[in-house]
Amino acid sequence: MKLDFQPKFQQKGWRHDPLSDNFSQSKLFGAPSPITVKTLDRPLAPVLNQLKTTRCIAYRSSTNYWYRTFRKASPDWKAHKIGQKQGRSVDNYGGNPNATMKSDRDDGFLLVEDAHLSLEVNGVEGSGYGKWPQSLDARAVLNDDISGFIKIDNKQQDYFDSVKSALYRAYDPVTKRGACVDIFSGWYGDWFGETITLPSSPLFGYHSIVFFNFDTTYKGEYLLSQNSWGESVGNKGIQAWSRDVVNWEFSQGGRSLKQLAVLTPQMIAEAREQTPLGALIRQFILIFQRFSDNYGTYGK
C-alpha cells in the first residue's frame, strides 16, 4: 500500500512497569462477561492525523476520550501534558505507556475550542512540550468516572478475547459510550492496509492506537482499531485484526494493552497487595529500567 506521507515511529520499545501487573483485568474483574452481540453499536470517532510526529500516544488518548464522551479534545495539549508526566517531550523519543495513562487519569482533556495551538497550524515546535500556558490546565475537563487504569492480560483467556471482553464490559448500550482498549505495540511495513496480518516485513518501530470495537463477519472475527495517521491508512483509518495476529503481537515483550477504568477503593487496595519477595523483585526491575533509560534501550 502506497502512503501519501512518511510516518515517523517511536524507535525505543515501550517500557513495561511491573507494578501495573497488579492492576490486571483478571485480578480486578474476575471472569469475563458473556458477550451476546456480534459488534458494538457505536459511532465512529473523527479520524485524527499526527502527521510526521511521534505523538501517537496523545492522539490515541484523544480518540479514546471521544469514544468515552463524544467530545473533541486537543491531542497536542495532551502531548504536552504527557511530556510533563514523563519529564521529557514525546517529540524527542516518544512516550511512556504508564505516563500517558496517568495523564489521562489525572490531567483531564482540553477541548479543541479552548486550545489556541495545534500541530497543523503551529507545527511541532510551536505546539509541543512547554509551549502551552499553565493557565489552560484549569480549563481541562477532568474525568469524573475514571479512577485508574488496568492491564488487559491473557490469564483467563487469550489476548483477543480479553480485549473483546474489556470493550464489551466498558460499553454502555444506552449512551453508546465507553472506554477503548489502548494499544502499545510494534509496527511493521505491511500493517498499513485494511486488515492487519502476521508480518512478513521488518519491524519499523513502535506505535500506539486504540481497539474501539469488535466485529464478526462471514470472513471471520476481528478486533477493530482506529489509527492516527489520517484516512489514508486502512479503511479511512480503521483496521481489522484477526485473533492470530493479536495473540502473536501481544505475547511479545515490550507490548501492552491497557484500559481506563472505574476502580473502587477496595479493588485498588487488593491490587496493591504484594509479598516482601515481590517488593524486592519489583525494586530490582525498576532499578534496571532506570539504568536502561540512561544507558540503553529497554524492551527491544
Side-chain angles (χ1 to χ4, degrees):
M1 179 179 182
K2 185 178 180 180
L3 300 177
D4 57 8
F5 72 104
Q6 183 62 44
K8 186 177 181 181
F9 289 92
Q10 175 172 317
Q11 292 303 310
K12 187 174 182 180
W14 302 111
R15 194 182 75 178
H16 174 65
D17 183 348
L19 296 179
S20 69
D21 290 342
N22 284 339
F23 296 89
S24 68
Q25 175 179 267
S26 63
K27 183 175 181 62
L28 295 177
F29 293 100
S33 306
I35 298 176
T36 58
V37 296
K38 290 186 176 181
T39 190
L40 302 178
D41 179 25
R42 69 192 317 171
L44 291 175
V47 178
L48 302 179
N49 194 337
Q50 67 187 77
L51 303 177
K52 296 179 181 179
T53 72
T54 52
R55 294 185 185 181
C56 58
I57 55 171
Y59 277 65
R60 170 208 52 76
S61 174
S62 295
T63 297
N64 196 337
Y65 180 71
W66 191 94
Y67 279 110
R68 298 197 311 276
T69 66
F70 296 165
R71 305 181 79 178
K72 294 181 181 179
S74 166
D76 303 307
W77 179 84
K78 175 55 68 173
H80 161 71
K81 296 304 292 183
I82 295 170
Q84 286 185 333
K85 268 289 191 285
Q86 64 185 25
R88 57 175 174 79
S89 171
V90 302
D91 291 322
N92 294 334
Y93 302 103
N96 177 302
N98 277 21
T100 185
M101 301 303 291
K102 289 175 181 177
S103 177
D104 290 354
R105 180 193 65 193
D106 301 337
D107 299 330
F109 294 80
L110 185 70
L111 301 181
V112 291
E113 55 263 34
D114 292 328
H116 67 290
L117 300 174
S118 72
L119 175 63
E120 185 176 10
V121 175
N122 304 100
V124 175
E125 292 299 324
S127 65
Y129 183 48
K131 301 298 182 180
W132 298 80
Q134 187 176 352
S135 59
L136 287 177
D137 293 359
R139 306 194 70 171
V141 180
L142 299 177
N143 291 302
D144 294 329
D145 58 339
I146 298 297
S147 54
F149 58 92
I150 60 171
K151 174 187 174 185
I152 307 300
D153 53 51
N154 66 336
K155 294 179 181 177
Q156 295 186 1
Q157 51 193 352
D158 64 15
Y159 282 111
F160 185 97
D161 283 332
S162 293
V163 171
K164 189 175 177 180
S165 296
L167 290 170
Y168 182 76
R169 183 189 63 241
Y171 175 71
D172 184 336
V174 177
T175 65
K176 300 185 179 181
R177 300 173 184 172
C180 301
V181 170
D182 296 302
I183 301 171
F184 301 91
S185 73
W187 206 262
Y188 300 83
D190 45 5
W191 277 18
F192 295 96
E194 185 173 347
T195 302
I196 302 292
T197 59
L198 289 172
S200 58
S201 61
L203 178 71
F204 274 14
Y206 298 86
H207 190 39
S208 182
I209 54 178
V210 295
F211 282 130
F212 71 95
N213 205 345
F214 53 83
D215 194 17
T216 302
T217 71
Y218 71 95
K219 293 182 178 180
E221 191 174 21
Y222 298 93
L223 292 175
L224 302 181
S225 67
Q226 185 161 338
N227 219 309
S228 54
W229 287 321
E231 295 189 353
S232 64
V233 172
N235 180 9
K236 295 184 178 180
I238 308 303
Q239 297 177 288
W241 301 55
S242 63
R243 183 182 299 272
D244 59 341
V245 176
V246 171
N247 289 331
W248 173 81
E249 173 64 16
F250 294 101
S251 65
Q252 300 186 78
R255 279 77 160 155
S256 63
L257 297 159
K258 300 180 187 297
Q259 186 182 46
L260 293 169
V262 179
L263 305 179
T264 66
Q266 180 181 2
M267 293 166 75
I268 293 174
E270 290 177 354
R272 283 177 173 165
E273 290 284 332
Q274 58 180 344
T275 64
L277 177 59
L280 288 174
I281 293 173
R282 288 184 181 89
Q283 287 303 311
F284 173 80
I285 294 174
L286 290 173
I287 290 171
F288 174 75
Q289 287 179 346
R290 295 190 188 101
F291 178 86
S292 300
D293 279 347
N294 291 326
Y295 301 106
T297 300
Y298 177 82
K300 291 185 70 175

